[in-house]
Amino acid sequence: MMLRGVAHGAKETFTLLLTRSPSSNTALKFSSAWPDVANRSFLIHSNYTTDTKSREENKKTLENLYSLSVDITKIRRLKEWVLLQDVAYVKEIAGILQEMGADETTVASIIERCPEAILHTPAEINAQRALWQLVCQNEKQLIKLIEQFPESFFTTEHQQNQKANILFFQELGLKNNIITRFLTSAPNIFYNPVEKNKNVIETLQRNYLNLGGSEANMKIWILKLLSQNPFILLNTSTAIQENLEFLQKNYFTDQEVLQLLSKLKGFIFQLNSTTMQKSMLFSKNIFKCSDQELKQLVLKCPALLYYPVTVLEERLEGLLKEGISIAQIRETPMVLELTTQIVQYRIKKLSALGYDIKSGNLESLNGTKKDFEVTYGKIQSKKERPIFNPVAPLHIED
């Protein structure tokens, strides 16, 4: 196929999903950087037996779980190995949760979704409780967080690193509600030694100033970047430096690099120069543009930089199959931020109103779901509105 020929068969394994458009503060999800919450129990699991055939379930554990109205079948289906352990702290862990305000239903729900909680000692859980209390307003908020994110709370490794990082984030100026969000959705950043996180922050600060950012705005910029994408801290200082240098070598000015960093919420640091180079070369060949023209397209649509060739290729092919031309896509490249399925759905809805996407620009396809609904509503209203003839006689009943 034409696009595959242009791509020269380049295949990337880095998979990204764009959930929002840059015009509305692009939020990105990426499989290689965001940790799999379901696998957080690996560390504790590795310390216990996995032989589920030759061992019997611990009767005392079962009795204690039944007394708490826990659905044992859920645990057997999810993590049966927990029931095989010789030692468990069912009553003790339930007691701690109840002290924090959890009722019987909440305790049962937490244990059903995170069975390995009962394998932690009361001392470990109380230490974790004290850690999270550093950023929680009260125990009511804490138990609500545990109920929503039990895996995060019951991952008790690296407690010294967790505490040091919580204190560092507070000193940096992050609000406690942001830090609690990090604890629940990005716990891995707390496992790093605090010195590592400090080095990454210092690298970002130094580069921000080198790119022309002001000392007065630096703190706000760093805090916003971290709030939007805490996984920046999982990168090395070297990787951050290399990616910034790659942009500069490709004729992006310092101001334009800062602009890209803000648009991408620091996501560029999860990429590598090889992936970005291949994506840019693919776009240059497809749109038949110069280096300067390509740069402007990237600034307009950063997707051309961060999506791997395979994703760009698939989306371009989907658009072409709908009868959309390369010239239209070049005019409105942001349409490449949408999946093929979303594009097809929106074209179908617009076509039902008699709107011909092939003959116009693609702006009506762009944006978030909310943006599209607003656009669709305007087109629909325009179609349904009766034409007013100012010279037509008015029929007024006496």
Side-chain angles (χ1 to χ4, degrees):
M1 299 179 71
M2 180 190 73
L3 295 174
R4 299 194 182 280
V6 174
H8 300 295
K11 299 295 177 186
E12 306 295 338
T13 56
F14 196 85
T15 304
L16 312 170
L17 288 177
L18 179 70
T19 58
R20 298 182 65 190
S21 71
S23 60
S24 56
N25 296 328
T26 310
L28 300 165
K29 295 181 180 179
F30 37 98
S31 61
S32 65
W34 286 65
D36 183 357
V37 175
N39 289 330
R40 289 181 197 152
S41 63
F42 172 76
L43 292 174
I44 187 169
H45 187 183
S46 64
N47 295 325
Y48 296 91
T49 179
T50 57
D51 182 2
T52 59
K53 294 182 179 178
S54 62
R55 298 198 49 168
E56 292 184 357
E57 295 177 348
N58 186 318
K59 292 182 179 179
K60 184 178 179 182
T61 298
L62 293 176
E63 290 172 2
N64 289 334
L65 290 172
Y66 277 126
S67 70
L68 293 170
S69 301
V70 173
D71 188 340
I72 307 294
T73 59
K74 288 184 179 179
I75 296 180
R76 288 195 181 107
R77 185 170 61 250
L78 185 64
K79 293 170 184 173
E80 185 184 8
W81 58 271
V82 170
L83 302 175
L84 307 179
Q85 309 313 314
D86 295 330
V87 179
Y89 302 92
V90 180
K91 288 185 176 181
E92 293 86 345
I93 301 308
I96 293 172
L97 293 173
Q98 288 166 344
E99 282 177 16
M100 287 188 276
D103 57 23
E104 184 177 302
T105 302
T106 300
V107 170
S109 173
I110 290 171
I111 294 175
E112 286 166 4
R113 288 182 295 124
C114 185
E116 63 270 29
I118 64 174
L119 301 181
H120 289 288
T121 66
E124 289 173 333
I125 300 309
N126 278 321
Q128 193 76 343
R129 175 183 181 181
L131 270 178
W132 283 47
Q133 283 175 330
L134 292 173
V135 290
C136 288
Q137 296 176 356
N138 48 49
E139 293 207 318
K140 182 179 179 181
Q141 182 194 13
L142 176 54
I143 197 63
K144 186 176 180 180
L145 287 173
I146 297 172
E147 184 180 5
Q148 292 175 320
F149 307 97
E151 291 275 4
S152 297
F153 179 79
F154 289 105
T155 301
T156 61
E157 289 75 23
H158 314 293
Q159 284 184 335
Q160 287 186 339
N161 286 349
Q162 287 187 58
K163 183 175 182 179
N165 279 305
I166 287 173
L167 296 176
F168 169 59
F169 291 145
Q170 288 176 327
E171 290 171 7
L172 199 61
L174 282 170
K175 294 181 179 179
N176 284 341
N177 65 317
I178 300 296
I179 300 175
T180 56
R181 179 159 59 81
F182 289 177
L183 280 169
T184 55
S185 62
N188 283 12
I189 66 173
F190 293 89
Y191 305 159
N192 290 334
V194 70
E195 291 77 16
K196 195 266 183 188
N197 286 340
K198 284 182 178 179
N199 285 338
V200 172
I201 295 297
E202 288 168 2
T203 299
L204 291 169
Q205 291 172 330
R206 183 173 60 254
N207 279 286
Y208 177 77
L209 294 176
N210 290 341
L211 290 168
S214 69
E215 189 87 41
N217 292 331
M218 183 177 68
K219 181 177 179 180
I220 296 172
W221 183 79
I222 287 289
L223 294 181
K224 185 176 181 180
L225 203 63
L226 276 178
S227 300
Q228 293 170 332
N229 182 11
F231 294 101
I232 291 172
L233 295 172
L234 297 181
N235 297 292
T236 64
S237 299
T238 303
I240 290 172
Q241 196 68 46
E242 287 177 352
N243 284 359
L244 291 175
E245 288 174 1
F246 168 81
L247 293 175
Q248 290 171 320
K249 287 177 183 176
N250 280 273
Y251 313 109
F252 289 93
T253 66
D254 290 350
Q255 190 60 39
E256 287 168 343
V257 173
L258 277 180
Q259 182 183 334
L260 279 173
L261 292 181
S262 297
K263 277 191 173 183
L264 292 173
K265 302 179 179 2
F267 178 73
I268 191 172
F269 300 131
Q270 269 75 40
L271 304 176
N272 62 70
S273 57
T274 302
T275 301
M276 290 189 284
Q277 186 67 59
K278 288 181 178 179
S279 296
M280 288 179 69
L281 180 60
F282 174 80
S283 297
K284 185 177 180 180
N285 289 334
I286 284 293
F287 296 120
K288 295 180 172 55
C289 55
S290 66
D291 290 336
Q292 281 298 318
E293 289 171 332
L294 176 62
K295 187 181 78 167
Q296 293 306 315
L297 283 173
V298 170
L299 289 171
K300 196 174 182 181
C301 176
L304 298 176
L305 182 69
Y306 60 72
Y307 275 138
V309 170
T310 48
V311 173
L312 293 173
E313 187 179 59
E314 177 193 353
R315 294 187 179 183
L316 277 163
E317 288 178 355
L319 290 166
L320 294 177
K321 285 179 181 177
E322 295 295 330
I324 295 169
S325 68
I326 290 291
Q328 284 178 292
I329 299 170
R330 179 171 172 169
E331 183 67 25
T332 315
M334 295 80 74
V335 73
L336 291 170
E337 295 171 345
L338 304 171
T339 66
T340 300
Q341 291 76 16
I342 290 175
V343 167
Q344 290 172 340
Y345 169 77
R346 293 184 179 183
I347 289 177
K348 185 177 180 180
K349 288 206 68 172
L350 292 172
S351 296
L353 295 178
Y355 187 90
D356 185 8
I357 200 71
K358 300 174 190 177
S359 60
N361 65 52
L362 306 182
E363 290 291 344
S364 55
L365 292 177
N366 283 338
T368 63
K369 181 180 179 181
K370 185 176 180 180
D371 294 333
F372 175 73
E373 287 173 352
V374 171
T375 301
Y376 177 81
K378 289 179 179 178
I379 295 173
Q380 187 177 41
S381 297
K382 188 175 180 181
K383 179 180 175 62
E384 294 175 351
R385 188 183 303 128
I387 298 175
F388 175 67
N389 184 350
V391 297
L394 296 176
H395 298 285
I396 304 174
E397 294 183 2
D398 294 332

